[in-house]
Amino acid sequence: MTLAHKLAEERRARLAAQRLLEMKEAELFSANRKLGRHARALSDRIERTEAEVVNVRNENRQVKSDLSVAHQKIEIAERRLWHSIRTIQDGFAFFNADNEMVGANDAYLSIFDDLEDMKPGVTYPEMLLVLTDEGIIDTQDLSPAEWRATMLERWNEPNPKPRVVRFWNGLYAKLIDERGPDGDVVSLALNITDTIRYENQLKKARYQAEAASRAKSAFLANMSHEIRTPMNGIVGMADLLVETGLGEEQQLFVETIRNSGEALLTIINDVLDYSKIEAEKLQLRPTTFDFEQCIHEVMRLLQPSARDKGVALLVDYDLFLPTQLVGDPGRIRQILTNVIGNAVKFTTEGHVLISITGKSQNGVCDVHVTIQDTGIGIPEDKVGHIFGEFNQVEDEKNRQFEGTGLGLAITKRLIELMGGRIWVTSEEGAGTCFGFQVSLESDPADELEIVKPDIAKALVVDSGELTRGILEKQIALLGITCSSANSADDALAMLDEGFGLAVLDDLQGAMDGFDLARQMRAKRPDLPILLMTSNAGLAEADPARASVNAVLQKPVPRQILFRHLMSLGAPETKAPPHPKAPMFVHTRSAAPAPPPRPMIPNENSRRALRVLAAEDNKTNQLVFGKMLKSLDIELTFANNGIEAVELFQSIKPDVVFMDISMPKKDGKEATGNIRALEKESGAHVPIIAMTAHAMAGDQEAILAAGLDHYLTKPLKKSLVIEQIKAVQLEGVRPAVPDQLG
Ligand code: ADP
């Protein structure tokens, strides 16, 4: 091999090596660059990771601090809760679902008198055992085992009811336990000792008050009895004395005695009623009664004082309103007497108009009564107060009107007791209108059945527009055409218009009713004439009475008016009313008016009515005898219950008046004996109680003893006579000679 060759080879080798080196250098460079990139990426990731770690560390630190804050808060809340629970006076404890005490406040644990075991961990049944074994609880009527059993039974209920327990030292706790959904129980033991003591005090006070109220009622009952008995003598005797032909001055004195006596009785009754209402002792006694008749009875009572003042009393009873209603007639009469009595009392001229309207539906009658007067009225600022107790418009200094100031307070309470309401509107100097509403049961079958009379045209003569209006309405209901005249002259001028009837008012200005009747008769001798007057008693005694067919007391109840119209219109008889064809009938009536009595030619062929009166008090016998002096009766007195029964058998009375308090045998027992005697014969003689007892319950007791009716002393002559008039027997003369029937 040549040198050149060798050199060439060496050169080639060197070149190859150089190329290899270059190649390796390029590879190295590339590897280096890759490594650099990788290193950079790595360091970036490290940086990021480091930042994340810092973040996480920060968060961790935050969470830790939050947690400790939360812990602190929980601790504070728990501390406060326990502090509160500890500070409350009442016992508080928690139990878990296994009935173990988890915690309790000092008040709860103090009940156990520092007993070692009574602390959290104790179970409820163990606790009950300690309570009874240590005598901590007063198990009252139960044995310790029974008490524990009832307590445990209660504890296991899903919603235990509160229970009051009493401890040995007289303290009371009300246990209230609430079971949670997981079976835990929160138990409260409220200290109610003060409440129980207060309740006991209240009970005692109430008992004492009730005892005092009973004593007051008994006192009032006695007082009422004691006062009424002598009052019977005073009022009754004064009543009789008036009729004995006294001089004018004597008459005045006697009337003052009688009026004062009656005023005193009204006051006694008001006070009695008010105290009964106050004590919630007043009970209503509903019964079927005739509402219209009730109103007219009140009107009759008030008529004399209205008449004396020239005040007209008018009644407008809704023609289509039933009259048989169910209510307490005594109390309804009292309401009417109070309100209408006030209207008369506070009215010096004009009228008092009572309007009764209403709707009857499904057996219930919604009755509205308004009492409108033309009196002194009530000042606006006083209207709101008059229903209060002792509230009167007048003040003490200028009292002109008498009264207790209790009437409207009682009236309002009575109406409210009946579920109704009362109201008033008034204009001072112009008049007052009281209204009240009550819903009373009615009998739908009790509709008026009207039989039309045989009269085509009637003439109404009345100077009062209101009365004329009411009368025209009533007469028109019977299908009679009505014309009216407001003066006697007009009436006389109209006479040839072919009237079949004339109804006259006795106040015709210059000419009185009888004068007008006489003049009418002179022109039309066949014309039936009815005279309406506010003093029927006086008119009946007037020699001119013969100039009219009948005298009617104003205001005239529809029943009476219709009956007279019927009797006048009956074609077959023009004079006496016919008994078998009443003008209208109540198909169901508690006390229908007795039918007119048929005329029997020989009155003397009938015997007098026999009346037996049992009354031990001589003065009362005297009063009773004098009251009935004018009647055609045979009156016999019994001095006690035994005599009453004996006389009942011997004289066979048609009616008996029976005093209740009598020596030897009282009225109830005597009535019992009489009713027993009657069982054999099947007869039933009416027995009417006369008593000074006027308290609630007396009436029931008396009626339960077999008596039929009840009159309170002092007796009212008219009521006694009414009872006697009600007894109508065949073969017996009417007690009142002019008795209509
Ligand atoms: P009193 O026993 O005084 O009549 P009330 O309670 O019945 O007591 O009536 C209270 C007062 O209401 C009466 O004193 C009177 O001032 C007034 N008052 C009642 N009704 C009327 C009336 N119709 N007109 C005017 N004032 C009346």
Side-chain angles (χ1 to χ4, degrees), residues 99-317:
N99 298 329
E100 280 169 359
M101 185 192 282
V102 179
N105 69 356
D106 295 345
Y108 197 93
L109 297 175
S110 70
I111 292 165
F112 300 98
D113 248 354
D114 295 332
L115 281 170
E116 277 262 313
D117 298 342
M118 291 300 110
K119 59 181 184 215
V122 68
T123 65
Y124 192 74
E126 285 166 355
M127 213 176 77
L128 294 178
L129 200 63
V130 170
L131 284 172
T132 50
D133 285 0
E134 297 290 329
I136 297 171
I137 203 84
D138 177 358
T139 62
Q140 293 176 8
D141 303 338
L142 301 175
S143 71
E146 283 169 344
W147 185 81
R148 284 195 304 269
T150 57
M151 290 297 283
L152 212 54
E153 192 182 324
R154 169 183 172 278
W155 179 261
N156 288 325
E157 280 167 12
N159 296 307
K161 288 207 178 71
R163 172 161 183 167
V164 175
V165 291
R166 185 174 191 267
F167 296 103
W168 64 278
N169 50 5
L171 295 186
Y172 287 89
K174 183 179 198 174
L175 305 178
I176 299 173
D177 302 303
E178 184 85 32
R179 195 172 286 280
D182 48 0
D184 281 6
V185 178
V186 176
S187 186
L188 263 178
L190 305 178
N191 184 349
I192 54 163
T193 312
D194 286 346
T195 317
I196 296 267
R197 273 198 200 127
Y198 186 58
E199 262 175 25
N200 286 343
Q201 277 170 4
L202 278 183
K203 263 187 217 156
K204 203 168 146 199
R206 187 177 157 179
Y207 176 78
Q208 283 170 345
E210 277 174 358
S213 164
R214 274 195 300 275
K216 188 181 79 179
S217 298
F219 169 74
L220 286 175
N222 277 338
M223 191 181 82
S224 109
H225 182 253
E226 294 308 318
I227 295 177
R228 275 160 189 271
T229 306
M231 285 305 278
N232 190 29
I234 297 172
V235 176
M237 276 300 179
D239 227 2
L240 297 170
L241 209 55
V242 172
E243 294 166 10
T244 55
L246 301 174
E248 209 172 292
E249 199 179 27
Q250 288 166 319
Q251 181 97 12
L252 189 73
F253 293 164
V254 176
E255 271 172 12
T256 311
I257 295 175
R258 188 183 58 185
N259 294 343
S260 308
E262 279 178 354
L264 186 56
L265 272 170
T266 314
I267 295 171
I268 294 170
N269 288 341
D270 272 5
V271 173
L272 264 175
D273 274 346
Y274 196 72
S275 51
K276 270 193 279 181
I277 294 177
E278 274 293 271
E280 293 181 2
K281 286 269 160 58
L282 197 126
Q283 283 169 352
L284 297 174
R285 295 186 186 80
T287 166
T288 303
F289 74 108
D290 190 318
F291 190 48
E292 190 186 10
Q293 191 180 327
C294 180
I295 289 173
H296 280 281
E297 277 165 14
V298 173
M299 297 310 250
R300 260 204 300 282
L301 212 73
L302 297 169
Q303 184 62 261
S305 37
R307 190 173 57 218
D308 291 349
K309 298 196 272 188
V311 171
L313 287 187
L314 314 169
V315 178
D316 188 5
Y317 197 99

Side-chain angles (χ1 to χ4, degrees), residues 270 338-347 371 373 375-379 382 385-394 399 401-411 424 426 431-434:
D270 272 5
N338 268 338
V339 186
I340 306 175
N342 275 346
V344 172
K345 179 161 78 174
F346 295 105
T347 303
I371 298 97
D373 67 52
I376 60 170
I378 305 169
K382 298 273 171 53
H385 302 131
I386 53 163
F387 292 110
E389 295 82 30
F390 306 109
N391 285 354
Q392 294 168 311
V393 168
E394 291 179 298
R399 292 220 49 189
F401 299 97
E402 290 182 348
T404 56
L406 278 175
L408 286 178
I410 295 172
T411 300
V424 61
S426 187
T432 304
C433 183
F434 277 90

Side-chain angles (χ1 to χ4, degrees), residues 611-615 621 624 635-639 655-658 690:
V611 179
L612 173 62
E615 167 66 71
Q621 279 191 9
F624 193 82
L635 175 63
T636 314
F637 281 107
N639 295 306
V655 55
V656 181
F657 287 84
M658 184 75 81
M690 307 187 287

Side-chain angles (χ1 to χ4, degrees), residues 251-550:
Q251 181 97 12
L252 189 73
F253 293 164
V254 176
E255 271 172 12
T256 311
I257 295 175
R258 188 183 58 185
N259 294 343
S260 308
E262 279 178 354
L264 186 56
L265 272 170
T266 314
I267 295 171
I268 294 170
N269 288 341
D270 272 5
V271 173
L272 264 175
D273 274 346
Y274 196 72
S275 51
K276 270 193 279 181
I277 294 177
E278 274 293 271
E280 293 181 2
K281 286 269 160 58
L282 197 126
Q283 283 169 352
L284 297 174
R285 295 186 186 80
T287 166
T288 303
F289 74 108
D290 190 318
F291 190 48
E292 190 186 10
Q293 191 180 327
C294 180
I295 289 173
H296 280 281
E297 277 165 14
V298 173
M299 297 310 250
R300 260 204 300 282
L301 212 73
L302 297 169
Q303 184 62 261
S305 37
R307 190 173 57 218
D308 291 349
K309 298 196 272 188
V311 171
L313 287 187
L314 314 169
V315 178
D316 188 5
Y317 197 99
D318 188 337
L319 297 172
F320 299 101
L321 192 70
T323 62
Q324 297 292 311
L325 301 175
V326 180
D328 184 331
R331 295 299 172 187
I332 287 177
R333 193 172 293 124
Q334 185 176 3
I335 292 169
L336 293 167
T337 312
N338 268 338
V339 186
I340 306 175
N342 275 346
V344 172
K345 179 161 78 174
F346 295 105
T347 303
T348 44
E349 56 182 354
H351 66 256
V352 172
L353 167 66
I354 292 88
S355 310
I356 304 94
T357 54
K359 247 195 348 240
S360 188
Q361 217 171 18
N362 304 330
V364 177
C365 197
D366 188 20
V367 184
H368 281 247
V369 181
T370 55
I371 298 97
Q372 185 245 324
D373 67 52
T374 52
I376 60 170
I378 305 169
E380 215 178 315
D381 59 328
K382 298 273 171 53
V383 170
H385 302 131
I386 53 163
F387 292 110
E389 295 82 30
F390 306 109
N391 285 354
Q392 294 168 311
V393 168
E394 291 179 298
D395 54 28
E396 302 258 312
K397 282 166 265 151
N398 58 3
R399 292 220 49 189
Q400 196 193 142
F401 299 97
E402 290 182 348
T404 56
L406 278 175
L408 286 178
I410 295 172
T411 300
K412 181 166 186 279
R413 301 273 197 117
L414 286 176
I415 290 175
E416 285 169 354
L417 211 61
M418 294 175 187
R421 62 199 172 86
I422 181 166
W423 61 92
V424 61
T425 50
S426 187
E427 193 183 327
E428 196 175 0
T432 304
C433 183
F434 277 90
F436 70 87
Q437 173 273 328
V438 278
S439 291
L440 303 174
E441 270 176 48
S442 67
D443 186 349
D446 179 52
E447 300 286 313
L448 285 184
E449 192 185 299
I450 294 163
V451 184
K452 307 222 182 290
D454 190 19
I455 299 170
K457 263 177 93 178
L459 174 64
V460 173
V461 190
D462 197 311
S463 50
E465 204 182 316
L466 275 169
T467 325
R468 261 199 331 263
I470 297 170
L471 256 177
E472 281 174 15
K473 235 174 18 181
Q474 290 180 338
I475 295 175
L477 184 77
L478 304 179
I480 302 175
T481 312
C482 230
S483 300
S484 57
N486 64 3
S487 71
D489 290 342
D490 283 358
L492 288 169
M494 290 162 79
L495 254 195
D496 48 7
E497 290 180 19
F499 296 109
L501 163 75
V503 184
L504 312 185
D505 188 283
D506 70 341
L507 290 170
Q508 309 296 333
M511 199 187 295
D512 84 355
F514 282 137
D515 279 348
L516 176 60
R518 259 197 307 265
Q519 294 196 32
M520 285 178 141
R521 274 275 158 86
K523 284 179 143 190
R524 284 272 317 270
D526 61 322
L527 180 68
I529 302 178
L530 299 183
L531 178 76
M532 303 196 332
T533 166
S534 54
N535 194 345
L538 204 67
E540 285 289 1
D542 197 306
R545 162 71 178 82
S547 55
V548 299
N549 293 57

